[in-house]
Amino acid sequence: MKDVKYRSTILKIEGMHCASCQRPIERALHETTGVADVSVNLANREVTIESYLSNVELIAVVANAGYDAVVDQVQSLEEDDRANKEKFDSLIRKTVVALGSGALLMIFAMYAPALGTEWDLVHGAWLLIAAITSVVMYYAGWHYFAGAYKSLKARSATMDTLIALGTGTAWLYSTIIVLFPGLVPEIARHVYFEAAVIIIGMVNLGQALEQRARGRTSQAIRRLLDLQQKTARVVRDGEETDIPIGEVVVGDLVRVRPGEQIAVDGIVTEGQTNIDESMLTGEPVPVSKTTDDEVSAGTLNKTGSVVYRALRVGSDTALARIIKMVRQAQNSKPPIGKLADSIAAVFVPVVMLIAVVAAVTWFFVGPDPRAVYAIVTAVTVLIIACPCALGLATPMSVMVGIGKAAEAGVLIRNGEALQTASQLTTMVLDKTGTITAGRPEVVEIKTFGEQTQDRALLLAASLEANSEHPLAQAFLDAAKQQELELVPAEAFFVISGEGIIGEVDGNPLLLGNETLMTRSGVELDPESLEAHKEMSEKAYTTMFLASNGQLIAVFAVTDPIKPESVDAIRRLHAGGLKIVMLTGDNRHTAEAVAKQVGIDEVRSEVMPEDKMNHIAELQKRGEKVGMAGDGINDAPALALADVGFAIGTGTDVAIESADITLMRGSLHGVADAIDISNATMRNIRQNLFGAFVYNSLGIPIAAGILYPMIGMLLNPIIAGTAMAFSSVTVVSNANRLRFFKFTKTS
C-alpha cells in the first residue's frame, strides 16, 4: 500500500497477568491487516502497536483475543499514584476477605465431626460453607474465572486458566463430597473449601505486593512525566497571564521566574539566568542562558527571570519526545526475552497435561485415598505452575534498567540495543566533538617585543571578525572571554590556504601560517620558530601575527580534549573494551590526541564515507563494535555498528539517530550505558534462572515425585503461596537496579 503512514499506539491491557497472556494478544494483532509491529510489555501491562488502524479497531482486536484495552493516556504522577493505590487497595480487600474466610474454615474443619452418609446438622453446615465459599470466591477471585472464560473463547490458556481450574476443581470436588458423600469411601471424604479461598487470597496478596513493586519500577518515567508543567505564564498584548500548558502555541512569549520549570521548548529573548538541565541530561552543573540560547521543557530555572519565545509545544518538545522514546524502549524486548516467550507459548497447555497425567497416575497406582491424592496433585500442579515469574523476568528488568539509564541522560532506544551493549568488544570513537570539544580554542599566546597578550589577541580577533574560516571563532571566543572590545578591520583580504591580511586600528596586519609569513618577507627568528615547534609537537595549529612587517605573536589553536574523556576511556578499558579512534585529522594530530587519552588504535585522515568500511572490517574480525559519534555526520557508521551511540547536548541531540542517545556531550555516557546494560542483563539472567529453577523443581514436587522417597506431598495452599511470591521475588530483584551505582575511575 502506497503512502501509508503508520503511527504508534499504546494500549493498557486489563487482565494480563502472565507470559501466556501475551501470546493471544500478540497473535491477534500480528494477524490483523494494517498492523506493522507489536510489542507487549507484561511489566506495565501495555502493548505498543505500529499501525494505520484507528484506536477503536485496535481495541476490538484485543477484545476478540479475550482482553479489555484502553488507549493509554499520559498521566501525571498524582494520577498514576491514585490509580495504583486503587488497584492495590482493591487487591488487599479481596485478600483479607479470602484469607480471613480461609482461616475460619480451617479452624472449623479442625473441630467439625467427620462427614457421614446421613443428612444431619453437620451436612447442613458444610452445605452452608460451600455456599459461603462460592460467594467469597466470586468476590475475591471472579476476575480469574472471567479471564479463564475469555481465554477459552479465544482458544488459549493463561494463568487465569490454571488458577480457575485449580481452585474451581477443589471447590467442585468438595461440594460433590458434601452433596454425595456415599460416592467415596469414608477415608476419602476430605473437603478443600479452605484451600480454594486461601489460594485465591495468596494469589491476590502476591499481585498486590507485585502492584506496589511495579509502581517503583516505573519511577524514572513517572519522574519525567511529572516534569511536565500544568500551566505557563504567557505575555500577550503586554499582559502576563497563566494559562493551561495545552493552550501555549508556537510563537508565544513565556516568562519564567526563579525556581520555576520551563513549560515548553523555546529561545530566550530577554534576560539572563542559570538553568538546571540535570533532569534531562544528567549533567549536574547549571547552564548559563542568555538572549538567543535555547531552553527545554522540564528544566529548572535557578536564578534570573527570563522571557523566551515558544519554539516547540506539546508532543514536539524535547521532554515529550524523550518520554515517548523511553516508554517505547521499556515496552521492547531484548533477544533474551524471546526465550521466555517461546516457553510461555506452550507452557500452560503442557502444565495442564502434566496435571492430568499426575491425577491419573495417582488415581490408578497411588495409595488410598486415591481420589483425594489425584485431586490434590492435580490442583497443586495447576496452582504452582503459573508462569508469572517467567513472564516478568525480562520486562521488569528492562523497564527498570532503561529508566535508570534515562535518569543519567542515556536514552536507550530498544531492548536489543540494551542487550547488545553488554556484548561489545571494541568501541570506535570519532575524535571531533566526541573525544574533543568540537570547537577550536586559543590555548597559548606567545608574544614578542613589548606586545601584550591582550593587545595581540585584540588585533587578531578584530581581523578574524571578518573571516568565515573555522578557526576564526576561536579568536572571537577568546576575545569575548577576556572582555576585549573589537575594532573594525579595513582592507580585509583572504589568501586561500595561507591566512588573511587587513588593517586594524591603523596597523597593517598579517595573520596566517608560516608560508604567509615567508612569502610576505616577515622574518621568523629562532625564538618564534622554537615556539612554533613546541606548539606543533602538542598537535596544536600555529598561527603567526605580524604588524608592519614585524612578527608580534604566535597563537596556538586546537580543538581541546574534553576534561572527562581520559577518565571515560579508562572506564571503557576497565570494562575490557578495545578503543579505536577514527578521524579526518592528519596522523600527527591524531596520534598526539590518542596518546593523551589512551587510545589503542588510531586511524587518521579518514573520510566520513570511509568510516563504515573500517567498522565493517572490525566486524569481519569477529568484533562486536560500538560506535560513538555526533549522530549526524557519522550516521552511516552509527547505523552499521552493532550499537550506535549518538553524542549530543540538550535539545540539539538527534534523539532518534542511533540505538543509544547521550543527552550530554560526555564519553562517560557511553560508559554509563554499557554499565547499565551489563547490570540489566545480569539481572535478567538472575530472574530467568530463578523462574526456570522454580518451575523445574516446583512442578515435579507438586506432582508427588518426593512421595515414594520421603512421603511428602505438597499442600495446594503452600503451592499457591509459592506461586504468588515467585512473582514478587522477580519484581523485587528487578527493583534492585534502581539502586545501581555507575562505576567511577580512581
Coordinates of all heavy atoms in Angstrom, one line a residue, residues 17-86:
H17 N -1.8 -11.0 33.1 CA -1.0 -11.3 34.3 C 0.3 -12.1 34.1 O 1.2 -12.0 34.9 CB -1.8 -12.1 35.3 CG -3.2 -11.5 35.7 ND1 -3.3 -10.3 36.3 CD2 -4.4 -11.9 35.4 CE1 -4.5 -10.0 36.5 NE2 -5.3 -11.0 36.0
C18 N 0.3 -12.9 33.0 CA 1.5 -13.8 32.9 C 1.9 -13.8 31.4 O 1.3 -13.2 30.5 CB 1.1 -15.2 33.3 SG -0.1 -16.0 32.3
A19 N 3.1 -14.5 31.2 CA 3.6 -14.6 29.9 C 2.7 -15.3 28.9 O 2.7 -14.9 27.7 CB 5.0 -15.4 29.9
S20 N 1.9 -16.2 29.4 CA 1.0 -16.9 28.4 C -0.2 -16.0 28.0 O -0.9 -16.2 27.0 CB 0.4 -18.1 29.1 OG -0.2 -17.8 30.3
C21 N -0.4 -14.9 28.8 CA -1.4 -13.9 28.4 C -1.0 -13.1 27.1 O -1.8 -12.6 26.4 CB -1.7 -12.9 29.5 SG -2.3 -13.7 31.0
Q22 N 0.3 -12.9 27.0 CA 0.8 -12.1 25.9 C 0.6 -12.8 24.6 O 0.3 -12.1 23.6 CB 2.4 -11.9 26.0 CG 2.8 -11.2 27.3 CD 4.3 -11.2 27.4 OE1 4.9 -11.1 28.5 NE2 5.0 -11.2 26.3
R23 N 0.7 -14.1 24.5 CA 0.6 -14.8 23.2 C -0.6 -14.5 22.4 O -0.5 -14.2 21.2 CB 0.8 -16.3 23.5 CG 1.2 -17.1 22.3 CD 2.6 -16.8 21.8 NE 3.0 -17.6 20.7 CZ 4.2 -17.6 20.1 NH1 5.1 -16.7 20.6 NH2 4.5 -18.3 19.1
P24 N -1.8 -14.7 23.0 CA -3.0 -14.4 22.2 C -3.2 -13.0 21.7 O -3.7 -12.7 20.6 CB -4.2 -14.8 23.1 CG -3.6 -14.8 24.5 CD -2.2 -15.2 24.3
I25 N -2.7 -12.0 22.6 CA -2.8 -10.6 22.2 C -1.8 -10.4 21.0 O -2.2 -9.8 20.0 CB -2.4 -9.7 23.4 CG1 -3.4 -9.9 24.5 CG2 -2.4 -8.3 22.9 CD1 -3.0 -9.2 25.8
E26 N -0.6 -10.8 21.1 CA 0.4 -10.7 20.0 C -0.1 -11.3 18.7 O 0.0 -10.8 17.6 CB 1.7 -11.2 20.4 CG 2.5 -10.4 21.4 CD 3.8 -11.0 21.8 OE1 3.9 -12.2 21.8 OE2 4.8 -10.2 22.1
R27 N -0.6 -12.6 18.9 CA -1.0 -13.3 17.7 C -2.2 -12.6 17.0 O -2.2 -12.4 15.8 CB -1.4 -14.7 18.1 CG -1.8 -15.6 16.9 CD -2.0 -17.0 17.3 NE -3.2 -17.1 18.2 CZ -3.1 -17.6 19.4 NH1 -2.0 -18.0 19.9 NH2 -4.2 -17.7 20.2
A28 N -3.2 -12.1 17.8 CA -4.3 -11.5 17.2 C -4.0 -10.2 16.5 O -4.4 -9.9 15.4 CB -5.4 -11.2 18.3
L29 N -3.1 -9.4 17.1 CA -2.6 -8.2 16.4 C -1.8 -8.4 15.2 O -1.9 -7.7 14.2 CB -1.9 -7.3 17.4 CG -2.8 -6.7 18.5 CD1 -2.0 -6.1 19.7 CD2 -3.7 -5.6 17.9
H30 N -0.8 -9.4 15.3 CA 0.0 -9.7 14.2 C -0.8 -10.2 12.9 O -0.4 -9.9 11.8 CB 1.1 -10.7 14.5 CG 2.3 -10.2 15.2 ND1 3.1 -9.2 14.6 CD2 2.9 -10.5 16.4 CE1 4.1 -8.9 15.4 NE2 4.0 -9.6 16.5
E31 N -1.9 -10.9 13.2 CA -2.7 -11.4 12.1 C -3.6 -10.4 11.5 O -4.4 -10.7 10.6 CB -3.4 -12.6 12.6 CG -2.5 -13.8 12.9 CD -3.3 -15.0 13.6 OE1 -4.5 -14.8 13.9 OE2 -2.7 -16.0 13.8
T32 N -3.6 -9.2 12.1 CA -4.6 -8.1 11.6 C -3.9 -7.3 10.5 O -2.8 -6.8 10.7 CB -5.0 -7.2 12.8 OG1 -5.6 -8.0 13.9 CG2 -5.9 -6.1 12.4
T33 N -4.6 -7.2 9.4 CA -4.1 -6.3 8.3 C -4.1 -4.9 8.8 O -5.0 -4.3 9.4 CB -5.1 -6.4 7.1 OG1 -5.2 -7.8 6.7 CG2 -4.6 -5.6 5.9
G34 N -2.9 -4.2 8.5 CA -2.8 -2.8 8.9 C -1.9 -2.7 10.1 O -1.5 -1.5 10.5
V35 N -1.5 -3.8 10.7 CA -0.6 -3.7 11.9 C 0.8 -4.1 11.4 O 1.0 -5.2 10.9 CB -1.0 -4.7 13.0 CG1 0.0 -4.7 14.1 CG2 -2.4 -4.2 13.5
A36 N 1.8 -3.2 11.6 CA 3.2 -3.5 11.2 C 4.0 -4.1 12.2 O 4.9 -4.9 11.9 CB 3.8 -2.1 10.7
D37 N 3.8 -3.7 13.5 CA 4.7 -4.3 14.5 C 3.9 -4.2 15.9 O 3.1 -3.3 16.1 CB 5.9 -3.4 14.7 CG 7.0 -4.1 15.6 OD1 7.1 -5.3 15.6 OD2 7.7 -3.4 16.3
V38 N 4.2 -5.2 16.7 CA 3.5 -5.3 18.0 C 4.6 -5.7 19.1 O 5.4 -6.5 18.9 CB 2.5 -6.4 18.0 CG1 1.8 -6.6 19.4 CG2 1.4 -6.2 17.0
S39 N 4.5 -5.0 20.2 CA 5.4 -5.3 21.3 C 4.6 -5.2 22.6 O 4.0 -4.2 23.0 CB 6.6 -4.3 21.4 OG 7.4 -4.6 22.5
V40 N 4.5 -6.4 23.3 CA 3.7 -6.5 24.5 C 4.6 -6.4 25.7 O 5.6 -7.2 25.8 CB 2.8 -7.8 24.6 CG1 2.1 -7.9 25.9 CG2 1.9 -7.8 23.4
N41 N 4.3 -5.6 26.7 CA 5.1 -5.5 27.9 C 4.3 -5.9 29.1 O 3.4 -5.2 29.5 CB 5.6 -4.0 28.1 CG 6.5 -3.9 29.3 OD1 6.7 -4.8 30.1 ND2 7.1 -2.7 29.4
L42 N 4.6 -7.1 29.6 CA 3.9 -7.6 30.8 C 4.2 -6.8 32.0 O 3.3 -6.7 32.9 CB 4.3 -9.1 31.0 CG 3.7 -9.8 32.2 CD1 2.2 -9.9 32.0 CD2 4.3 -11.2 32.3
A43 N 5.4 -6.2 32.1 CA 5.7 -5.5 33.3 C 4.8 -4.4 33.6 O 4.4 -4.2 34.8 CB 7.2 -4.9 33.2
N44 N 4.4 -3.6 32.6 CA 3.4 -2.5 32.9 C 2.1 -2.7 32.1 O 1.3 -1.8 32.0 CB 4.0 -1.1 32.5 CG 4.6 -1.1 31.1 OD1 4.3 -2.0 30.3 ND2 5.3 -0.1 30.7
R45 N 1.9 -3.9 31.7 CA 0.6 -4.4 31.1 C 0.2 -3.4 29.9 O -0.9 -2.9 29.9 CB -0.4 -4.4 32.1 CG -0.1 -5.6 33.1 CD -0.9 -5.5 34.4 NE -0.5 -6.5 35.3 CZ -0.8 -6.6 36.6 NH1 -1.5 -5.6 37.1 NH2 -0.4 -7.5 37.4
E46 N 1.1 -3.2 29.0 CA 0.9 -2.4 27.9 C 1.3 -3.1 26.6 O 2.1 -4.0 26.6 CB 1.7 -1.1 28.0 CG 1.3 -0.1 29.1 CD 2.2 1.1 29.1 OE1 3.2 1.2 28.4 OE2 1.8 2.1 29.8
V47 N 0.7 -2.7 25.5 CA 1.1 -3.2 24.2 C 1.3 -1.9 23.3 O 0.5 -1.1 23.2 CB 0.1 -4.1 23.6 CG1 -1.3 -3.5 23.5 CG2 0.5 -4.6 22.2
T48 N 2.5 -1.9 22.6 CA 2.8 -0.8 21.7 C 2.6 -1.4 20.3 O 3.1 -2.4 19.9 CB 4.2 -0.4 21.9 OG1 4.4 0.1 23.2 CG2 4.5 0.8 20.9
I49 N 1.8 -0.6 19.5 CA 1.4 -1.1 18.2 C 1.7 -0.1 17.1 O 1.4 1.1 17.3 CB -0.2 -1.4 18.1 CG1 -0.6 -2.3 19.3 CG2 -0.6 -2.0 16.8 CD1 -2.1 -2.2 19.6
E50 N 2.4 -0.5 16.1 CA 2.7 0.3 14.9 C 1.6 -0.1 13.9 O 1.7 -1.2 13.3 CB 4.1 0.1 14.4 CG 5.2 0.6 15.4 CD 5.2 2.1 15.6 OE1 4.8 2.8 14.6 OE2 5.6 2.5 16.7
S51 N 0.7 0.8 13.5 CA -0.3 0.5 12.6 C -0.9 1.8 12.0 O -0.6 2.9 12.4 CB -1.4 -0.3 13.2 OG -2.2 0.5 14.0
Y52 N -1.8 1.6 11.0 CA -2.6 2.7 10.5 C -4.0 2.6 10.8 O -4.9 3.3 10.3 CB -2.4 2.9 8.9 CG -2.8 1.7 8.1 CD1 -4.1 1.4 7.8 CD2 -1.8 0.8 7.5 CE1 -4.5 0.3 7.1 CE2 -2.2 -0.2 6.7 CZ -3.5 -0.5 6.5 OH -3.9 -1.6 5.7
L53 N -4.3 1.6 11.8 CA -5.7 1.4 12.2 C -6.1 2.4 13.3 O -5.3 3.0 13.9 CB -5.9 0.0 12.7 CG -5.6 -1.1 11.8 CD1 -5.8 -2.5 12.4 CD2 -6.4 -1.1 10.5
S54 N -7.4 2.6 13.4 CA -7.9 3.5 14.5 C -7.8 2.8 15.8 O -7.7 1.6 15.9 CB -9.3 3.9 14.2 OG -10.2 2.8 14.3
N55 N -7.9 3.6 16.9 CA -7.8 3.1 18.2 C -9.0 2.1 18.5 O -8.8 1.1 19.1 CB -7.9 4.2 19.3 CG -6.6 5.1 19.2 OD1 -5.6 4.7 18.7 ND2 -6.7 6.3 19.7
V56 N -10.1 2.5 18.0 CA -11.3 1.6 18.1 C -11.1 0.3 17.5 O -11.4 -0.8 18.1 CB -12.6 2.3 17.5 CG1 -13.8 1.3 17.6 CG2 -12.9 3.6 18.3
E57 N -10.5 0.2 16.3 CA -10.3 -1.0 15.6 C -9.2 -1.9 16.4 O -9.4 -3.1 16.6 CB -9.7 -0.8 14.2 CG -10.8 -0.2 13.3 CD -10.2 0.2 11.9 OE1 -9.2 1.0 12.0 OE2 -10.7 -0.2 10.9
L58 N -8.2 -1.2 16.9 CA -7.2 -2.0 17.7 C -7.8 -2.5 19.0 O -7.5 -3.7 19.4 CB -6.0 -1.1 18.0 CG -5.2 -0.6 16.8 CD1 -4.2 0.5 17.2 CD2 -4.5 -1.8 16.1
I59 N -8.6 -1.8 19.7 CA -9.2 -2.2 20.9 C -10.1 -3.4 20.6 O -10.2 -4.4 21.4 CB -10.0 -1.1 21.6 CG1 -9.0 0.0 22.1 CG2 -10.9 -1.6 22.7 CD1 -9.7 1.2 22.6
A60 N -10.8 -3.4 19.5 CA -11.7 -4.5 19.1 C -10.9 -5.8 18.9 O -11.3 -6.9 19.3 CB -12.5 -4.1 17.9
V61 N -9.7 -5.7 18.3 CA -8.9 -6.8 18.0 C -8.5 -7.5 19.4 O -8.5 -8.7 19.5 CB -7.6 -6.4 17.2 CG1 -6.7 -7.6 17.1 CG2 -8.1 -6.0 15.8
V62 N -8.0 -6.6 20.3 CA -7.6 -7.1 21.6 C -8.8 -7.7 22.3 O -8.6 -8.8 23.0 CB -7.0 -6.0 22.4 CG1 -6.7 -6.4 23.9 CG2 -5.8 -5.4 21.8
A63 N -10.0 -7.2 22.2 CA -11.2 -7.7 22.8 C -11.5 -9.1 22.3 O -11.9 -10.0 23.1 CB -12.4 -6.8 22.6
N64 N -11.3 -9.3 21.0 CA -11.5 -10.6 20.4 C -10.6 -11.7 20.9 O -10.8 -12.9 20.8 CB -11.5 -10.5 18.9 CG -12.7 -9.8 18.3 OD1 -13.7 -9.7 18.9 ND2 -12.5 -9.2 17.1
A65 N -9.4 -11.2 21.4 CA -8.4 -12.1 21.9 C -8.7 -12.4 23.4 O -8.0 -13.2 24.0 CB -7.0 -11.5 21.8
G66 N -9.7 -11.8 24.0 CA -10.2 -12.1 25.3 C -9.7 -11.1 26.4 O -9.8 -11.4 27.6
Y67 N -9.3 -9.9 26.0 CA -8.9 -8.9 26.9 C -9.5 -7.5 26.7 O -9.7 -7.1 25.6 CB -7.3 -8.8 26.9 CG -6.6 -10.1 27.3 CD1 -6.4 -11.0 26.3 CD2 -6.3 -10.3 28.6 CE1 -5.8 -12.2 26.7 CE2 -5.7 -11.5 29.0 CZ -5.4 -12.5 28.0 OH -4.8 -13.6 28.4
D68 N -9.6 -6.8 27.8 CA -10.1 -5.4 27.7 C -8.9 -4.5 27.5 O -7.9 -4.7 28.1 CB -10.9 -5.0 28.9 CG -12.2 -5.8 29.0 OD1 -12.8 -6.2 28.0 OD2 -12.6 -6.2 30.2
A69 N -9.1 -3.4 26.7 CA -8.0 -2.5 26.5 C -8.5 -1.1 26.4 O -9.6 -0.8 26.0 CB -7.2 -2.9 25.2
V70 N -7.7 -0.1 26.8 CA -8.0 1.3 26.7 C -6.7 2.0 26.2 O -5.6 1.5 26.4 CB -8.4 1.9 28.0 CG1 -9.7 1.3 28.5 CG2 -7.3 1.7 29.1
V71 N -6.9 3.1 25.5 CA -5.8 3.9 25.0 C -5.1 4.5 26.2 O -5.8 5.1 27.0 CB -6.2 4.9 24.0 CG1 -5.0 5.8 23.5 CG2 -6.9 4.3 22.8
D72 N -3.8 4.3 26.2 CA -3.0 4.8 27.4 C -2.9 6.3 27.3 O -2.6 6.9 26.2 CB -1.6 4.2 27.4 CG -0.9 4.7 28.6 OD1 -1.4 4.6 29.7 OD2 0.3 5.3 28.4
Q73 N -3.3 7.0 28.3 CA -3.2 8.5 28.4 C -2.1 8.8 29.4 O -2.0 8.2 30.5 CB -4.5 9.1 28.9 CG -5.7 8.8 28.1 CD -5.6 9.5 26.7 OE1 -5.0 10.5 26.6 NE2 -6.2 8.8 25.7
V74 N -1.1 9.6 28.9 CA 0.0 10.0 29.8 C -0.6 10.7 31.0 O -1.2 11.8 30.9 CB 1.0 11.0 29.0 CG1 2.0 11.4 30.0 CG2 1.6 10.2 27.9
Q75 N -0.3 10.2 32.2 CA -0.9 10.7 33.4 C 0.2 11.4 34.2 O 1.4 11.3 34.0 CB -1.4 9.6 34.3 CG -2.5 8.7 33.6 CD -3.0 7.7 34.5 OE1 -3.8 8.0 35.4 NE2 -2.7 6.4 34.3
S76 N -0.3 12.3 35.1 CA 0.7 12.9 36.0 C 1.0 12.0 37.1 O 0.4 10.9 37.2 CB 0.0 14.2 36.6 OG -1.0 13.8 37.5
L77 N 2.0 12.3 37.9 CA 2.5 11.5 39.0 C 1.3 11.2 39.9 O 1.1 10.1 40.4 CB 3.6 12.2 39.7 CG 4.4 11.4 40.7 CD1 5.0 10.2 40.1 CD2 5.5 12.3 41.3
E78 N 0.5 12.2 40.3 CA -0.5 12.1 41.2 C -1.6 11.1 40.7 O -2.1 10.2 41.4 CB -1.2 13.4 41.6 CG -0.3 14.4 42.3 CD 0.7 15.1 41.4 OE1 0.6 14.9 40.2 OE2 1.5 15.9 41.9
E79 N -2.0 11.3 39.4 CA -3.0 10.4 38.8 C -2.5 9.0 38.8 O -3.3 8.0 39.0 CB -3.4 10.9 37.4 CG -4.1 12.2 37.4 CD -4.2 12.8 36.0 OE1 -3.3 12.5 35.2 OE2 -5.2 13.5 35.8
D80 N -1.2 8.8 38.4 CA -0.7 7.4 38.4 C -0.7 6.8 39.7 O -1.0 5.6 39.9 CB 0.7 7.5 37.8 CG 1.2 6.2 37.2 OD1 0.3 5.5 36.7 OD2 2.4 6.0 37.1
D81 N -0.3 7.5 40.7 CA -0.3 7.0 42.1 C -1.7 6.7 42.6 O -1.9 5.6 43.2 CB 0.3 8.1 43.1 CG 1.9 8.1 43.0 OD1 2.5 7.2 42.5 OD2 2.4 9.2 43.4
R82 N -2.6 7.5 42.2 CA -4.0 7.2 42.6 C -4.5 5.9 42.0 O -5.2 5.1 42.7 CB -4.9 8.4 42.2 CG -6.3 8.4 42.8 CD -7.1 9.6 42.4 NE -6.5 10.8 42.7 CZ -6.1 11.7 41.7 NH1 -6.2 11.4 40.4 NH2 -5.5 12.8 42.1
A83 N -4.2 5.7 40.7 CA -4.7 4.5 40.0 C -4.0 3.3 40.6 O -4.7 2.3 40.9 CB -4.4 4.6 38.5
N84 N -2.7 3.4 40.9 CA -2.0 2.3 41.5 C -2.6 1.9 42.9 O -2.7 0.8 43.3 CB -0.5 2.6 41.6 CG 0.2 2.4 40.3 OD1 -0.3 1.6 39.4 ND2 1.3 3.1 40.1
K85 N -2.8 3.0 43.7 CA -3.3 2.8 45.0 C -4.7 2.1 45.0 O -5.0 1.3 45.8 CB -3.4 4.1 45.8 CG -3.7 4.0 47.3 CD -3.7 5.3 48.0 CE -3.9 5.1 49.5 NZ -5.1 4.4 49.8
E86 N -5.6 2.6 44.1 CA -6.9 2.0 44.0 C -6.8 0.5 43.7 O -7.5 -0.3 44.2 CB -7.7 2.7 42.9 CG -8.2 4.1 43.3 CD -8.9 4.8 42.2 OE1 -9.0 4.2 41.1 OE2 -9.3 6.0 42.5

